[in-house]
Amino acid sequence: MCIRDSIYLEQPNRPEGMGYFDFVISEIHGLRVKELLDHKAKGGKVFGTFCLYVPDEVITALGGISVGLCAGTDFSEADAELDLPRNLCPLIKSFYGFKKGRICPYFEATDLVVGETTCDGKTKAYEHLGAMHPVYVMEVPHRKNDDTRKLWRAELYKFIAEAERLTGKKLTYEKLRENVRLHNAKRRALQRLNALRWKNPVPISGKDALLVNQIAFYDDPVRFTASVEKLVAELEQRVRDGVGVFPKDAPRLMTSGTPFAIPNWKLHHVIETGGWPVVAEESCVGSRYFSGTVDEPSEPSVASYAPGKPSYAPGESPGDLGGLLDAVARRFFDIHCACFTPNAERMDDIVDLCRKSGAKGVVNYTLSFCTPYLVEARHVENRLKKEGIPVLNLDSDYGMGDFGQLQTRIGAFVESL
Ligand code: BJ8
């Protein structure tokens, strides 16, 4: 039995709707890769990404496919360390090693990797990556004010020009509107799924929810959304029937911090094998991915706007291409990554999610050597303590060597709740 099976399939009373996601993960190197190659054979383009700031709706509106690339294993790190320092974030070494060793079929299927200037490690790693693969880097400012919002909007336009050049297509209002709706529907389905985790007893494990949240990054968005909605319907029935996967009132935890790139399941596995459900993740593989939606045009839309009107005010309907792109820019700029300073909004998000989910404490998890999140961990701790919320700060890598140590620390934390 492989580690994936022992982590996932041995869980008791899993929802039937997880069957689709089990299938997707079991076929991770099969069917989806074939779909990407078929798309390319017909002249389509595949964009690889590593960060939430790259807007999927623009890529799919231009007929491209967007895939969040794998960055959650340690077996590719040795290849990465041929070029990069050892004491670097494991997420960066993971994806870099996949390209260096040419071992990820998703990476090899991409026509362009879209990077971003979020943290220094990624920013500099893209320079080396660019020597091996086509890379385009979006500049993400690190402060939020009127000037940087303009800069970010300009970056979005530059990226669109690059994507138009690659795909040979022109972005239109109608296509963007259609794709804003497509990705908003996906986000709303994930919002409903993740809100069901706040019920008591919890109808789905944190590990299963994490798997769904990870698959969101690379599956076909239409099929994925339909599968999440089916799962949601099943979980709603479980809630009505009082069915859970952990005993009612089991101490529940939430996590905050760096992303859980697939297949990084370690922390959730440690927590849930202790008998404590994980009911939320303030993470880019979690709430930061699906919380915000892009403002959609109301119906009728274009008719109510003068052609060429460049922007719209919040609360208005973005009724032309300029307005809709403003809405896209705003939605993505409102993601609260630790690469921003100051970042008080993120502290508010963590507190809010903790209250809503009923978590008894927060495990603030940071990948080793991730400076932005490690330094921000003290702010998280201070704010949560002020709110009376217990918090445990942890940092770890992708190796399993600290599994026992994590069990001990988390066990002691739960005891103290
Ligand atoms: S929006 S969290 S996906 S940058 S863990 S590589 S920050 S050193 S992944 Fe991230 Fe976008 Fe922010 Fe989200 Fe650097 Fe830290 Fe590594 Fe990180």
Side-chain angles (χ1 to χ4, degrees):
M1 183 179 279
C2 71
I3 185 159
R4 185 188 73 228
D5 291 351
S6 68
I7 287 179
Y8 275 95
L9 302 186
E10 287 180 3
Q11 296 178 93
N13 197 19
R14 298 180 75 215
E16 277 180 29
M18 283 306 297
Y20 170 76
F21 302 98
D22 289 341
F23 172 72
V24 172
I25 195 80
S26 71
E27 273 294 322
I28 190 164
H29 290 149
L31 289 182
R32 185 59 176 150
V33 174
K34 183 171 182 316
E35 285 177 351
L36 301 184
L37 297 177
D38 290 347
H39 173 73
K40 286 162 71 80
K42 286 187 244 149
K45 301 296 177 193
V46 178
F47 294 68
T49 65
F50 293 110
C51 180
L52 298 196
Y53 289 107
V54 182
D56 287 336
E57 31 278 271
V58 166
I59 293 171
T60 53
L62 287 167
I65 293 180
S66 170
V67 282
L69 293 172
C70 307
T73 66
D74 60 354
F75 65 80
S76 54
E77 288 184 9
D79 281 327
E81 286 171 10
L82 296 172
D83 294 344
L84 303 176
R86 289 195 70 193
N87 55 351
L88 182 67
C89 160
L91 189 150
I92 300 171
K93 285 197 286 183
S94 180
F95 77 67
Y96 190 91
F98 275 127
K99 179 62 211 178
K100 184 85 179 171
R102 297 186 181 279
I103 42 181
C104 176
Y106 289 88
F107 208 132
E108 296 306 306
T110 60
D111 297 284
L112 183 71
V113 162
V114 187
E116 17 50 57
T117 59
T118 45
C119 65
D120 290 347
K122 272 204 225 173
T123 304
K124 299 307 286 181
Y126 292 135
E127 292 174 9
H128 296 292
L129 198 65
M132 299 187 279
H133 197 84
V135 173
Y136 178 87
V137 178
M138 294 183 79
E139 185 172 349
V140 177
H142 292 175
R143 297 174 79 89
K144 289 182 181 170
N145 55 45
D146 288 348
D147 291 339
T148 56
R149 282 182 188 279
K150 277 187 209 139
L151 189 155
W152 175 241
R153 189 172 185 273
E155 278 302 305
L156 178 63
Y157 275 70
K158 281 192 232 164
F159 171 62
I160 291 166
E162 176 68 15
E164 285 178 338
R165 187 197 58 72
L166 183 65
T167 58
K169 296 193 171 143
K170 198 90 193 124
L171 187 67
T172 64
Y173 172 76
E174 287 73 20
K175 273 285 166 199
L176 185 60
R177 181 180 58 181
E178 181 188 324
N179 282 274
V180 161
R181 287 178 176 154
L182 170 77
H183 292 280
N184 275 351
K186 178 177 164 182
R187 292 178 189 121
R188 288 194 188 102
L190 286 169
Q191 287 168 12
R192 288 176 63 206
L193 169 69
N194 282 277
L196 283 161
R197 298 168 65 192
W198 308 343
K199 301 291 182 188
N200 187 12
V202 57
I204 182 171
S205 69
K207 279 194 285 189
D208 278 342
L210 176 64
L211 185 64
V212 176
N213 290 333
Q214 288 171 330
I215 288 172
F217 282 81
Y218 71 94
D219 197 14
D220 172 75
V222 174
R223 187 175 57 211
F224 174 85
T225 303
S227 303
V228 173
E229 281 168 354
K230 206 166 142 210
L231 178 61
V232 164
E234 183 185 351
L235 298 186
E236 285 171 343
Q237 187 59 47
R238 281 188 166 201
V239 170
R240 283 192 287 275
D241 296 342
V243 173
V245 291
F246 286 86
K248 197 163 192 284
D249 299 328
R252 44 184 56 213
L253 299 177
M254 68 164 268
T255 70
S256 59
T258 46
F260 301 98
I262 197 166
N264 179 11
W265 303 308
K266 182 168 70 171
L267 185 67
H268 284 60
H269 191 47
V270 168
I271 296 174
E272 294 204 326
T273 47
W276 315 297
V278 179
V279 292
E281 296 84 19
E282 183 277 327
S283 165
C284 287
V285 183
S287 62
R288 287 198 291 271
Y289 181 78
F290 53 73
S291 291
T293 50
V294 176
D295 290 345
E296 290 179 31
S298 55
E299 300 289 358
S301 53
V302 182
S304 63
Y305 275 79
K309 184 178 174 185
S311 63
Y312 77 106
E316 286 183 4
S317 167
D320 63 5
L321 185 57
L324 198 47
L325 284 171
D326 275 2
V328 171
R330 181 176 300 135
R331 187 266 163 191
F332 285 86
F333 208 53
D334 282 346
I335 296 167
H336 302 142
C337 173
C339 66
F340 279 90
T341 181
N343 196 22
E345 296 96 335
R346 180 168 167 244
M347 309 307 127
D348 296 340
D349 290 347
I350 298 171
V351 172
D352 185 49
L353 194 53
C354 185
R355 303 261 189 253
K356 281 183 181 151
S357 66
K360 298 271 180 271
V362 176
V363 178
N364 187 48
Y365 164 85
T366 309
L367 282 169
S368 315
F369 305 114
C370 168
T371 307
Y373 282 88
L374 280 171
V375 176
E376 197 158 277
R378 179 53 63 91
H379 289 314
V380 174
E381 190 178 333
N382 290 345
R383 175 65 190 277
L384 292 181
K385 280 187 174 158
K386 201 167 144 205
E387 301 284 342
I389 298 171
V391 54
L392 174 66
N393 271 324
L394 292 177
D395 69 273
S396 182
D397 57 18
Y398 292 154
M400 296 305 265
D402 61 353
F403 196 90
Q405 191 193 37
L406 290 174
Q407 277 181 316
T408 307
R409 291 193 62 193
I410 292 167
F413 177 60
V414 176
E415 284 281 303
S416 73
L417 294 177

